[in-house]
Amino acid sequence: MSALPLSGIKILDLTRVLAGPLSAQMLADLGAEVIKIERPGGGDDARAFGPPYLKDPEGKSNNNNSFYLCANRNKKSVTVNIATAEGQDIVRELAKSCDVMMENYKVGDLKRYRLDYESIKAINPGIIYCSVTGFGQTGPYAPRAGYDAILQAMGGLMSVTGHIDGEPGAGPMKVGPSIVDYMTGMNSSIGILAALYHRKANGGEGQHVDVCLMDTVIASLSHWLQIYLVNGQTPPRRGTWGNGGMPAGVFRCTDGELMLVVGNDGQFQRTCAVLGAPELATDPRFLKNNDRVVHGKEIMAIFAGLFLKKPVAYWLEELEKAGVPSGPINNFEQVFSDPHVQARGMRVKANHPFEPDLSLIRNAITFSGTPIKEYRAPPLLGADTRDVLATIGYDEAKLAELKEKKIV
């Protein structure tokens, strides 16, 4: 079997909750050895973020919940109390042989433990040290803690998300999942990979990579924010309306809803034919896409009335024949029942001590030459402490002593 792309790369992961762990998981999927450092007893904060938890075979309560499981596969779990001098020594010793160190502590927190970038760089000059925070390493908000929902609000995402003004329930709205955390994880992975390449290609130097949720959410607003930069106006909330092509949005049918995006004039003409109203395509208000944007409320209202005449399946079949992008609004059960999703293998299985056939979401990248063929389940707390610390000279007697002191 071909080696995975990051085989041979070793990562020391001090991140917790979601953005940092997701990034480390992405790199672990790609073959990096990821050593996750967790607090003895409690572990990653995510382990306490509520149910559902896996069912322990012995019926005991445990800390293997869905929040932790989604972001920690393919890693090794090592428990170390970094608030102690001996714990700090362990982390520094591990860092000596690592290519990457990741952390998401408040700015300055790790300096008191001599686990900050400058301290680690002193013992491993080639280290790629990635800090993941809410607001970055500089700026007046740098000391603040940051959570996804707060950054969705502060970064402008919520201001352009939600029902159209004047409709029931109008006002700023959070995106459902922790999307800013996920995007920050992706940016962290990109930054780490770029720094690794630079180190290999341009002289062997390590560096500090600074990634934060605030920068990420602002950058993610892309064309929406560019509108403001061009004309000084914030785009209005559009509910389920699409961005660019018009008409685009959710339409109610006799038995449910569908999502439609008419991306160009040809698609508009074909959609009008499908809906039994070809005359709309020659209406001066709707001839070109820019015309339909100007008269958006009118064309959306007309389409809304037409879609109410038949069921979802009928419209989707006819729109597919006409080459018009559309789709059902699936719940999660329907997502994993979809034959395309099944063909793409988005649900993968891993052998977990509590559940031999644990379902996980696969990595979204597919490689032709170095495919990801196996997934290891997210580890139980401290499952790899003994094996990993043995590699830096800690024998059974020393481990027993550290455990007695609650250092590991």
Side-chain angles (χ1 to χ4, degrees), residues 244-268:
M246 180 61 74
V250 170
F251 291 96
R252 187 175 298 278
C253 310
T254 58
D255 61 347
E257 297 84 23
L258 60 78
M259 182 72 194
L260 173 79
V261 176
V262 176
N264 55 50
D265 297 337
Q267 290 178 5
F268 178 66

Side-chain angles (χ1 to χ4, degrees), residues 157-189:
L157 178 58
M158 283 178 62
S159 76
V160 293
T161 305
H163 293 295
I164 297 170
D165 284 345
E167 291 186 354
M173 186 177 293
K174 186 182 84 68
V175 176
S178 301
I179 194 68
V180 181
D181 276 327
Y182 189 84
M183 292 188 295
T184 302
M186 293 174 67
N187 281 342
S188 300
S189 296

Side-chain angles (χ1 to χ4, degrees), residues 385-397:
T385 303
R386 175 177 279 99
D387 292 343
V388 170
L389 296 194
T391 66
I392 55 172
Y394 286 78
D395 59 20
E396 291 293 335

Side-chain angles (χ1 to χ4, degrees), residues 272 276-283 286:
C272 293
E279 70 279 1
L280 290 173
T282 56
D283 188 311
F286 311 135

Side-chain angles (χ1 to χ4, degrees), residues 65-88:
N65 64 357
S66 57
F67 205 102
Y68 171 80
L69 294 172
C70 83
N72 289 286
R73 62 169 175 255
N74 291 334
K75 302 179 186 180
K76 297 176 179 178
S77 173
V78 174
T79 50
V80 179
N81 183 355
I82 67 168
T84 66
E86 295 99 322
Q88 294 153 24

Side-chain angles (χ1 to χ4, degrees), residues 348-360 375-378:
V348 295
K349 300 290 187 177
N351 183 14
H352 189 280
F354 294 177
E355 195 168 321
D357 219 18
L358 177 66
S359 289
L360 299 170
Y375 291 88
R376 298 191 314 278

